[in-house]
Amino acid sequence: MTRTRSETETVTADDGVRLWAARSGRGEPLVLCHGGPGLWDMFEDVAGLLEDRATVVRWDQRGCGRSERCAGPWTSERFVADLDAVRRHFGLERTALLGHSWGAQLALSYALAHPERVSALVYVAGTGIGPDSDWHGAHRENFLARLGEHPERLDRWQELMARPRRTEEEDRESAVLQWSAEFTDRERALEHAGRMADPWLGINDECNKALNAERKRAWGTPELSAACRALDVPVLIVDGARDIRPRSAVDSLERALPRVRRVVFPDAGHLPWVEEPRGFRAAVTAVL
């Protein structure tokens, strides 16, 4: 797929941290929230799919990718404030949000905090609003099984992960091997994962650990379920049925939301726009 043209800009958060952002396309505004935590925007293909229907805004989260390296803070509240800074920078009174994986959690958190500023929420390949026990163990088992379909890849990944120190090149190699398990087409999985790592901008491990720990403490509460039941925003949940994170984990969110539609692609994994681009485009543009 041809990578889309975009204009890059610098967004300044309310505490002065500089965030990388890019805008492309035309139409109703759509802000994208990338996965991780600790990764960077990998949504060029998504922007390309939607650029004739939406003005797409992408950004790298605090301390990640092309954004300013900083000391955090690594909290959902801080990241919600950063997302609001992105919205204000581009002059958006209201916008649709699309979040993927951890970014789906962030987009949902923003919608719960500022529903009046969100026209629609597209929740892609998230893990629901229950505790980690709803999905974490099965995810680990599914990951090892899928990567183990190519034993040499699993062996190499385990070898790299066992090293107390890795070079930048080895960090990239281990990530590509790990991400290859996210795709159902096993012959093209390394190719797809390699594109995710191009360019390689390094994983912010401190950010990853802190936000994952926060989720374990704060997710899966009655208060979160009650907040979702009161959310008066249209939500589209998009899943790949063959995601190695069990899709049943998202059922709790679907049950709680009052205005929700769900689309499941039977042959897609964790990045459904890669393996089902036409269906993904159709589903998302229907809510814009």
Side-chain angles (χ1 to χ4, degrees), residues 128-177:
I129 57 175
D132 278 7
S133 58
D134 285 355
W135 63 273
H136 206 270
H139 166 242
R140 178 71 177 179
E141 291 179 9
N142 293 338
F143 165 74
L144 293 173
R146 184 170 290 173
L147 196 58
E149 293 173 12
H150 291 267
E152 72 284 358
R153 297 180 189 176
L154 177 59
D155 290 345
R156 177 59 174 166
W157 178 81
Q158 291 176 324
E159 175 193 341
L160 290 168
M161 296 304 292
R163 295 181 181 180
R165 295 180 182 275
R166 291 186 298 273
T167 66
E168 183 175 343
E169 183 178 340
E170 289 169 340
D171 274 340
R172 182 186 185 279
E173 182 184 1
S174 64
V176 169
L177 288 167

Side-chain angles (χ1 to χ4, degrees), residues 5 16 46 74 101 106 117 120 137 146 161 179 196 217 219 221 244 247 268:
R5 293 182 180 181
V46 173
W74 314 118
S101 196
L106 173 57
R117 301 172 191 171
R146 184 170 290 173
M161 296 304 292
W179 295 342
M196 293 173 64
R217 294 191 305 267
W219 234 237
T221 65
I244 56 178
R247 294 298 82 204

Side-chain angles (χ1 to χ4, degrees), residues 2-6 24-27 44-56 281 285:
T2 302
R3 297 194 171 186
T4 188
R5 293 182 180 181
S6 59
S24 61
R26 62 184 184 275
E44 283 186 291
D45 289 351
V46 173
L49 283 172
L50 302 174
E51 64 183 357
D52 65 330
R53 295 293 300 275
T55 299
V56 180
R281 168 185 157 86
T285 55

Side-chain angles (χ1 to χ4, degrees), residues 75-77 105 109 112 128-132 210-225:
T75 66
S76 294
E77 182 179 10
Q105 178 183 323
S109 296
L112 292 172
I129 57 175
D132 278 7
L211 285 168
N212 282 334
E214 182 195 69
R215 187 192 63 241
K216 291 177 183 178
R217 294 191 305 267
W219 234 237
T221 65
E223 293 79 10
L224 179 58
S225 295

Side-chain angles (χ1 to χ4, degrees), residues 2-257:
T2 302
R3 297 194 171 186
T4 188
R5 293 182 180 181
S6 59
E7 301 173 5
T8 61
E9 301 191 28
T10 299
V11 175
T12 303
D14 57 14
D15 64 351
V17 170
R18 297 183 300 276
L19 307 172
W20 176 90
R23 175 171 54 184
S24 61
R26 62 184 184 275
E28 293 299 309
L30 174 66
V31 178
L32 309 183
C33 298
H34 66 74
L39 300 180
W40 57 91
D41 176 89
M42 301 176 185
F43 278 137
E44 283 186 291
D45 289 351
V46 173
L49 283 172
L50 302 174
E51 64 183 357
D52 65 330
R53 295 293 300 275
T55 299
V56 180
V57 173
R58 300 151 45 213
W59 62 294
D60 282 348
Q61 293 158 22
R62 165 175 300 248
C64 302
R66 292 148 289 201
S67 288
E68 179 185 356
R69 295 291 167 168
C70 62
W74 314 118
T75 66
S76 294
E77 182 179 10
R78 179 63 260 176
F79 279 49
V80 164
D82 289 347
L83 175 50
D84 202 48
V86 172
R87 179 194 62 83
R88 291 195 311 272
H89 175 88
F90 288 99
L92 309 177
E93 182 177 351
R94 295 176 77 229
T95 183
L97 296 177
L98 186 155
H100 172 248
S101 196
W102 140 254
Q105 178 183 323
L106 173 57
L108 174 62
S109 296
Y110 184 92
L112 292 172
H114 304 294
E116 74 284 357
R117 301 172 191 171
V118 180
S119 58
L121 169 63
V122 183
Y123 181 96
V124 183
T127 52
I129 57 175
D132 278 7
S133 58
D134 285 355
W135 63 273
H136 206 270
H139 166 242
R140 178 71 177 179
E141 291 179 9
N142 293 338
F143 165 74
L144 293 173
R146 184 170 290 173
L147 196 58
E149 293 173 12
H150 291 267
E152 72 284 358
R153 297 180 189 176
L154 177 59
D155 290 345
R156 177 59 174 166
W157 178 81
Q158 291 176 324
E159 175 193 341
L160 290 168
M161 296 304 292
R163 295 181 181 180
R165 295 180 182 275
R166 291 186 298 273
T167 66
E168 183 175 343
E169 183 178 340
E170 289 169 340
D171 274 340
R172 182 186 185 279
E173 182 184 1
S174 64
V176 169
L177 288 167
Q178 181 171 322
W179 295 342
S180 72
E182 306 291 5
F183 301 96
T184 60
D185 184 345
R186 304 310 298 143
E187 296 307 314
R188 297 190 64 193
L190 279 179
E191 174 191 344
H192 292 322
R195 290 190 75 239
M196 293 173 64
D198 180 20
W200 176 252
L201 300 175
I203 299 171
N204 187 325
D205 291 321
E206 181 184 2
C207 170
N208 180 276
K209 292 175 182 177
L211 285 168
N212 282 334
E214 182 195 69
R215 187 192 63 241
K216 291 177 183 178
R217 294 191 305 267
W219 234 237
T221 65
E223 293 79 10
L224 179 58
S225 295
C228 288
R229 288 195 296 271
L231 182 62
D232 188 20
V233 170
V235 179
L236 171 67
I237 296 174
V238 180
D239 287 324
R242 298 184 64 190
D243 194 325
I244 56 178
R245 298 150 194 80
R247 294 298 82 204
S248 58
V250 189
D251 295 348
S252 57
L253 175 62
E254 183 180 14
R255 287 192 299 265
L257 293 169

